[in-house]
Amino acid sequence: MDFRKILNTINEMLDEEELKSPTSKPNDHGVWDEETGRITQRERERRAGKADGDRMTQGERKRRASAKASHEKMSTNEDDKGLTSAIGKGVMAGVKRTTNSKRKLGGFDVKPITIQDSEVDEALKLDAPQNVLSRKEVHDYMDRIKDGTKTKADRFKPIVHGSNIKALLKSDDPNDRWDLDDFAKQITTPIKQILDTNAKMAKSKKEGSITYDLTLPAISGIVVDEETGDFVEVTTCPGAGECKLICYARKGGYVMFPNSSMSAARALNFLMNHPTEYMDMFDREVKQAKKLADKNGIKLLVRIHDAGDFFSKQYYDLSMDVARNNPDTKFYFYTKIGELAADSNAPPNVVSQFSSGSKPSEVNVVKFHRNAGKKIKDAITLSKDEFRGLFVTDAKGKYVKDTEGRTQVKSPEAWKQFQQQLGQKYNIDPEPVITYYQMVRIPEGTDPKWNVVVFPAGHGDLGATRRDVENQFLMFH
Ligand code: SF4
């Protein structure tokens, strides 16, 4: 059936009241329970031993650093082979991949994706995503956090909550105010789980699916190289452009409490220092969540990153291996890396979208692939100006939501006008511009055809998981 016919049928099913008061299913809220995989006592002890190792003396630290440096000097291909084979012991066994990096952290390559196509020029390559910080640099940054004197240059630095910085009680030296060993110990504390969900099972059952996701620090994070004891700043969103200025994951619940920012730092630290264990844990948790979803007769959806992005090709490959290892689970991700949004080798159970706010060079990569005929889904964030006047507001201009917390379109005419404007601005056919509410009532097809508008409140993320969604338009909230 032609998609316009489907749309007409759907529109007939929808009465005008629905547009005034959309009743789409919102994200549910709840907790992750005992089904979660726990780290073994033995592993806990082993890693606690590692954390203690972070308290090594300066001399010891230097010796290890210099040993590591000469090892790195000697190794290029051999290192990569060794790393690949070590990683291959886990869920990634048998998967062939190549690495081309020279820098490693704890044995994990963090160089960002190298664009291999010869027609893509130098400017499209990404920056180096990591930077070893001296103790003085960390100390000075902590000074600025504690004293409220952060500079413009600190804007995109790793977020550290002031409560995670402990004073050194015994030091009289004003240049040694903060307990960096304690800070390192917090970061290297083992994580208990990777995946999390806000969904309540009762609501998920109604919706037919449950979503789990994982979080990394947005823009950049601070980790400890567990071999050398060095603090290392890792760029976690190498493709981010202007989105950095309004990043949702650098505010609110993501960073408001000492635990929230620290748990993201711990996850990144674990990933950087123990990639094999991280991926095994990820794989195990997907399987546990799948069991739970199956038991309740619903689909499992896994969102890779609700904050952060793939910061290296290798990290991406490892994550795709987990997806391959769980073919009955749907994985999805938003990315600002054009090459990943265009990856033809992604497993069939993975849906990607290129989200707005990336570096212009990444947009060029996407253009290049589109010109070559590749379909790439966009997730475009609409500014408030682009939908001003569409929704019912009160005298103060605040959205009047329905009983389930959803924004309400003023009238079918207002919606029609919005569709036309969107079509003109983004050069798309306005007919298949539908609301999230309309989308969830259409059985998922295989070909991209729908342009789905996600309202500021009350709409969910299922459009990101569907192959028949050509683009998503996410209204800023
Ligand atoms: S890519 Fe996402 S998480 Fe990273 S800076 Fe942009 S909006 Fe924030």
Side-chain angles (χ1 to χ4, degrees), residues 217-219 236-237 239-241 243-244 246-250 306-309 336 355 357:
I219 302 181
T236 49
C237 302
C243 69
K244 292 203 283 192
I246 50 163
C247 177
Y248 61 92
R250 303 267 294 184
D306 74 339
D309 200 348
K336 304 275 193 291
S355 53

